[in-house]
Amino acid sequence: MASPFIEIPVGDRLVKVTNPDKVYFPEHGYTKRQLVEYYLAVGEGIVRATRDRPTTLERWPAGVFEGARMATREDYARGQAGMGAGKSDAFYQKRIPKGAPDWVQTARIKFPSGRSADEVCPTEPAVIAWAANLGTLTFHPWPVRRDDVDHPDELRIDFDPQPGTDFSDAVRVALGPARDLLSELGFTGHVKTSGKAGVHIYVRIEPRWTFTEVRRAALAFGREVERRNPAEVTTRWWKEERGEQVFIDYNQNARDRTIASAYSVRPAPHAPVSAPVTWDELPDVDPHDFTIATMPARFAELGDLHASIDDEAFSLEGLLEMADRDERDHGLGDMPYPPNYPKMPGEPKRVQPSKDTDNQ
């Protein structure tokens, strides 16, 4: 008979893992216990990526199986964002779950709507293991620390291949014009796979600017990369305008928009993970090679490739000056925010071009 639970020592904690033999990834038979053990194997790395950051938990308590789906906005409106008949199989946990141990810390954050919540704020590997037992596959940390939740300390550059392009296209853009621009700005960029088809670059910044200013800097970065390689890069928000290009998603720097952390597991059948890589190995990387089965050995051999990410924080002044020039000299002002945001100052009309009756 399968054990109803086991207890795993994590530091000076005992973390209970219920139904440890429950299969989470049927393609390879990976179980909940293996998910928890994966996170403990890369514990130093996942804690560095999430430490003291309010973190949304992407929970798949039924596992990743054919037909499984993430809760939609309509599910939340109907009260069906959870497990059970007729309900979604996965959901985002933005508030600390009831019954959390008293050693699970929180951080109070404010959403664009003005509402607030106390989110899980990882401080040690036991918190990660506890969250994994709840079915958390992916950790989505905010780009802020809990001692100052209104001033990001991380610029996130997200290269998102559009239909007709793939990971190799994102790599080419990251290695070419994006890396050149990082060098010109004097930035050190830490690169990782998204765990899907994309590439992410993280830059530590001084926590002096608001979310609005950091997003503006990210848009300026994307526009300059697009200017240098217009055939392959776009910052167009509306999908119908992007074509077969790599989209640089500046909105990932807006308040309450998050990216899967380094070492996070992604909800795909082969259990891929978002893997830190070196710039030198990026040209030859196959993101499918990084899974919960392969990453522990890589981590044991190489350690955390983002271990130096906190060594230096950079200024956004150069990018914000670039944003000023874009607006002054090229007429390039703000771009649309995501649909769940209130109308923002200076934002253009938030309607996709094909439905804009004023232009028809």
Side-chain angles (χ1 to χ4, degrees):
M1 179 181 296
S3 171
F5 73 90
I6 59 175
E7 289 185 320
I8 298 178
V10 184
D12 59 356
R13 316 285 190 197
L14 271 181
V15 177
K16 180 183 287 189
V17 179
T18 58
N19 300 314
D21 299 321
K22 181 179 180 63
V23 175
Y24 267 26
F25 296 92
E27 182 172 297
H28 296 290
Y30 300 144
T31 64
K32 182 196 280 192
R33 177 175 184 161
Q34 288 173 288
L35 174 68
V36 174
E37 290 174 341
Y38 159 74
Y39 273 123
L40 293 178
V42 299
E44 179 186 351
I46 184 69
V47 170
R48 178 175 284 109
T50 60
R51 187 190 299 278
D52 292 326
R53 298 186 184 280
T55 299
T56 300
L57 309 179
E58 183 180 333
R59 295 177 57 186
W60 292 77
V64 179
F65 54 89
E66 186 174 358
R69 67 183 184 88
M70 175 64 67
T72 65
R73 192 175 305 168
E74 289 73 22
D75 291 323
Y76 284 102
R78 293 191 296 263
Q80 295 182 334
M83 296 303 299
K87 297 183 180 181
S88 58
D89 305 295
F91 57 98
Y92 292 105
Q93 182 92 46
K94 292 195 173 187
R95 290 172 170 81
I96 185 170
K98 293 180 179 179
D102 58 11
W103 41 264
V104 176
Q105 303 295 306
T106 62
R108 174 68 57 91
I109 48 86
K110 183 179 289 186
F111 300 118
S113 65
R115 293 176 298 170
S116 61
D118 294 319
E119 283 206 337
V120 171
C121 190
T123 54
E124 57 180 298
V127 175
I128 303 296
W130 163 80
N133 175 60
L134 297 178
T136 301
L137 298 190
T138 310
F139 293 83
H140 295 267
W142 282 46
V144 298
R145 308 282 188 173
R146 61 176 169 172
D147 60 351
D148 185 355
V149 295
D150 292 318
H151 296 91
D153 72 340
E154 196 164 66
L155 175 69
R156 296 172 174 180
I157 306 166
D158 179 11
F159 302 89
D160 184 8
Q162 300 302 289
T165 64
D166 57 20
F167 180 75
S168 64
D169 298 297
V171 167
R172 187 166 55 252
V173 172
L175 282 170
R179 193 181 187 189
D180 289 344
L181 181 53
L182 288 172
S183 179
E184 292 166 21
L185 291 165
F187 290 174
T188 297
H190 289 75
V191 65
K192 68 183 183 72
T193 68
S194 70
K196 295 183 178 179
V199 173
H200 299 155
I201 299 174
Y202 285 6
V203 177
R204 282 289 188 267
I205 59 174
E206 299 166 356
R208 297 165 43 197
W209 294 276
T210 65
F211 279 95
T212 301
E213 291 168 321
V214 174
R215 175 184 172 276
R216 189 166 186 260
L219 178 55
F221 187 98
R223 280 172 165 163
E224 180 60 24
V225 173
E226 180 180 17
R227 192 174 291 121
R228 298 181 184 197
N229 190 355
E232 294 188 286
V233 180
T234 182
T235 54
R236 299 275 187 175
W237 175 246
W238 301 109
K239 291 182 179 180
E240 65 186 33
E241 294 187 310
R242 294 177 191 170
E244 295 184 2
Q245 295 177 295
V246 175
F247 172 52
I248 298 183
D249 190 354
Y250 59 90
N251 266 332
Q252 293 291 26
N253 294 272
R255 181 184 290 272
D256 194 33
R257 295 281 287 197
T258 57
I259 296 178
S261 75
Y263 302 103
S264 270
V265 181
R266 309 311 304 275
H270 63 293
V273 304
S274 179
V277 296
T278 67
W279 285 101
D280 288 342
E281 68 181 332
L282 184 59
D284 301 314
V285 158
D286 182 344
H288 288 83
D289 291 341
F290 305 123
T291 71
I292 66 171
T294 63
M295 277 297 288
R298 174 179 167 88
F299 192 89
E301 178 186 358
L302 301 178
D304 181 12
L305 294 180
H306 285 185
S308 64
I309 195 169
D310 292 313
D311 288 356
E312 187 175 6
F314 299 93
S315 171
L316 286 181
E317 289 175 354
L319 278 176
L320 292 173
E321 290 171 1
M322 192 178 296
D324 290 339
R325 289 197 299 271
D326 279 344
E327 188 165 5
R328 182 185 64 245
D329 300 340
H330 304 289
L332 297 174
D334 204 355
M335 293 279 277
Y337 275 75
N340 61 314
Y341 279 67
K343 184 69 174 178
M344 302 296 286
E347 181 187 2
K349 188 187 306 184
R350 196 184 299 173
V351 58
Q352 65 188 74
S354 62
K355 296 181 178 181
D356 186 356
T357 56
D358 290 343
N359 294 328
Q360 295 178 2

